[in-house]
Amino acid sequence: MGFLDLFIVALRPTLEILLITAIGLFLATERINLLGANARPYLNNLVFYVFTPSNLFSKLADTITLESLVTLWFMPVNVLLTFIIGSALAWILIKITRAPQHLQSLIIGSCAAGNLGTLLLIILPAVCDEDNSPFGDSSVCSTYGEAYAALSMALGEVFLWTYVYAIMRLSANKATKEIDTNDSTIQDITSEETPYSEICTEALLPSRGCPTSEEYTEQVEVPSTGCEEKAKVSFLEKAKLHLKNLYGYIDLKKLFAPATISTIIAFTVGIVSPIQKLLIGDDAPLRAIYSSVSLIGEAAIPCMTLLIGANLLRGLKRSEVGPSIVLGIIAIRYIISPLLGIVIVKAANHFGVVGSDSLYQFTLMLQYALPPAMTVGTISQLLKTGESECSVIMLWTYVVASFSLTIWSTFFMWLVA
């Protein structure tokens, strides 16, 4: 297939995302107000507790088996690498732009966590349904594409509420402590202010109880011994201490969200063949249960995409986030990360880690080129830091994603086809 044909194949799912997002944005305006500030939480709860778990179960239970799990073992590694690479690049961006403390957690989350669920569940089946698709039979391609996207979404949720949430919470707590320290310092200065006349008088009087030069030298030398002892602490012990601190910021209640529980149940059904035969198939005695769950899950994708558009409306307002930060996040998510993803997936394919499945390789590469996860905005709201700035970052990253996703999807298909 030519590059132009691949571009046309990649353009359709991106247009679908753009149109549904635009409808969500329109429904959230004050004039329509169907997805206003009061309505969004209710729809968000339906998506979080009902639609998404049902969608994950229906997609994974039908396709995931013990053999496929062995084949797809590299996907969890690949998703973890997207998070690690994104957070490392975010740290560099923070140093370059000298971002304020209260925005650092938001920058880390935006660079580390990609939208591994909603967009892949739209893009992969849509690419498979095209007549000129390079991935073979459309029905087989759609089935496996939905399974890859569902597994990617499940892994993304786990890493979001463990890795990203812990780092963002750690950074947000530092920002809060810094603000509290500054406030307490100002209060101490104002409450304990010494009159100017007393300062002048005390300066002329001989000091009482003050150390001599020899005593002062001894006092200065004492801390240096502690520093030398600290320097002797091994790197491994410091790493263990940091990991222990990071583990303390993991919220296990949020980790075992409905989507995670649904994934565990789906894996159990898929791996245990007798249970799968009871629920899935034309002759399954309990197929009505699976069909009902699958029907409910079909509402997840349009609702999540509409919510993305509705949440982007807040980004039209002004905020403190600078253009250098926004441009840096765009460069990381749409230039640096996809290029590194190509290198990683091609290297894995070269060493026989990934295999020859072109759709699987395409999915792995696409995981590096996605816009930030909307859950980052949810985490920002929970941590009460950078909420308005998050809307601005999401707005511009998703606007750019409408072009970058088409270009990268075309290039990835050309590489694996």
Side-chain angles (χ1 to χ4, degrees):
M1 292 181 67
F3 196 82
L4 182 60
D5 295 330
L6 292 173
F7 180 79
I8 294 172
V9 171
L11 184 62
R12 182 194 158 197
T14 308
L15 287 176
E16 290 179 0
I17 296 169
L18 192 61
L19 288 172
I20 300 173
T21 304
I23 293 172
L25 183 66
F26 176 71
L27 294 176
T29 55
E30 292 182 2
R31 186 174 181 180
I32 306 299
N33 203 30
L34 286 176
L35 281 178
N38 295 327
R40 283 197 298 271
Y42 295 105
L43 183 58
N44 193 39
N45 285 334
L46 278 172
V47 170
F48 183 74
Y49 288 104
V50 182
F51 297 154
T52 300
S54 301
N55 186 52
L56 286 173
F57 177 82
S58 62
K59 297 294 188 295
L60 291 174
D62 188 23
T63 52
I64 294 297
T65 61
L66 188 61
E67 292 78 11
S68 62
L69 279 177
V70 174
T71 307
L72 301 176
W73 71 268
F74 184 73
M75 184 176 285
V77 178
N78 193 66
V79 172
L80 179 60
L81 286 174
T82 64
F83 281 82
I84 293 173
I85 290 171
S87 56
L89 294 173
W91 181 81
I92 296 172
L93 177 62
I94 289 170
K95 295 299 180 182
I96 293 174
T97 59
R98 296 179 180 178
Q101 185 70 47
H102 72 282
L103 291 180
Q104 291 182 10
S105 62
L106 176 60
I107 295 171
I108 294 170
S110 300
C111 294
N115 194 329
L116 296 169
T118 310
L119 299 186
L120 286 181
L121 284 168
I122 296 173
I123 293 171
L124 294 181
V127 168
C128 291
D129 290 339
E130 287 291 325
D131 295 332
N132 295 326
S133 174
F135 302 120
D137 183 68
S138 60
S139 60
V140 177
C141 175
S142 295
T143 301
Y144 280 99
E146 289 176 353
Y148 295 158
L151 180 59
S152 176
M153 182 178 187
L155 293 169
E157 288 292 321
V158 172
F159 288 125
L160 259 169
W161 291 108
T162 51
Y163 182 81
V164 174
Y165 179 76
I167 292 178
M168 289 184 67
R169 189 177 174 188
L170 181 63
S171 180
N173 284 355
K174 286 182 179 178
T176 305
K177 287 179 181 178
E178 186 177 302
I179 293 171
D180 293 341
T181 303
N182 292 337
D183 291 342
S184 62
T185 304
I186 293 171
Q187 289 176 1
D188 291 341
I189 292 172
T190 53
S191 61
E192 298 179 7
E193 188 175 4
T194 306
Y196 180 74
S197 59
E198 292 184 12
I199 297 174
C200 294
T201 307
E202 289 177 1
L204 296 174
L205 293 174
S207 60
R208 295 180 182 178
C210 295
T212 61
S213 59
E214 294 178 0
E215 293 172 343
Y216 183 78
T217 307
E218 291 175 1
Q219 289 180 4
V220 172
E221 289 175 354
V222 173
S224 64
T225 309
C227 294
E228 290 173 1
E229 291 176 357
K230 289 179 182 179
K232 295 177 182 178
V233 177
S234 66
F235 175 78
L236 184 61
E237 290 176 354
K238 288 182 179 179
K240 287 181 180 178
L241 183 61
H242 285 299
L243 287 174
K244 187 178 180 181
N245 292 334
L246 191 63
Y247 177 76
Y249 286 99
I250 296 175
D251 194 331
L252 294 178
K253 186 178 179 180
K254 293 183 176 63
L255 172 60
F256 287 98
T260 308
I261 297 171
S262 174
T263 304
I264 295 171
I265 297 173
F267 281 166
T268 306
V269 172
I271 292 172
V272 182
S273 182
I275 301 177
Q276 189 181 47
K277 290 178 181 178
L278 281 173
L279 291 170
I280 302 169
D282 296 334
D283 300 327
L286 301 178
R287 64 182 179 275
I289 297 175
Y290 175 78
S291 300
S292 301
V293 174
S294 179
L295 185 62
I296 294 172
E298 289 178 1
I301 303 306
C303 289
M304 282 192 289
T305 314
L306 287 172
L307 279 171
I308 289 174
N311 289 327
L312 293 180
L313 182 65
R314 293 179 298 176
L316 296 174
K317 301 176 182 179
R318 292 183 179 180
S319 69
E320 297 177 2
V321 62
S324 60
I325 295 175
V326 177
L327 291 174
I329 293 173
I330 289 173
I332 288 171
R333 291 229 61 95
Y334 302 134
I335 299 176
I336 303 173
S337 185
L339 291 175
L340 292 174
I342 293 173
V343 175
I344 291 170
V345 176
K346 281 296 182 182
N349 183 39
H350 176 73
F351 291 106
V353 174
V354 172
S356 59
D357 185 358
S358 57
L359 179 62
Y360 183 44
Q361 293 182 33
F362 174 73
T363 305
L364 294 176
M365 289 182 184
L366 200 58
Q367 288 172 342
Y368 289 90
L370 296 169
M374 296 302 293
T375 311
V376 173
T378 305
I379 296 174
S380 296
Q381 291 175 358
L382 289 172
L383 300 176
K384 297 180 180 179
T385 175
E387 296 177 54
S388 59
E389 290 84 357
C390 180
S391 301
V392 175
I393 290 173
M394 292 296 170
L395 174 66
W396 289 111
T397 50
Y398 274 81
V399 167
V400 177
S402 60
F403 304 100
S404 66
L405 271 178
T406 304
I407 296 170
W408 281 116
S409 297
T410 306
F411 187 62
F412 293 157
M413 282 190 285
W414 178 76
L415 283 176
V416 301

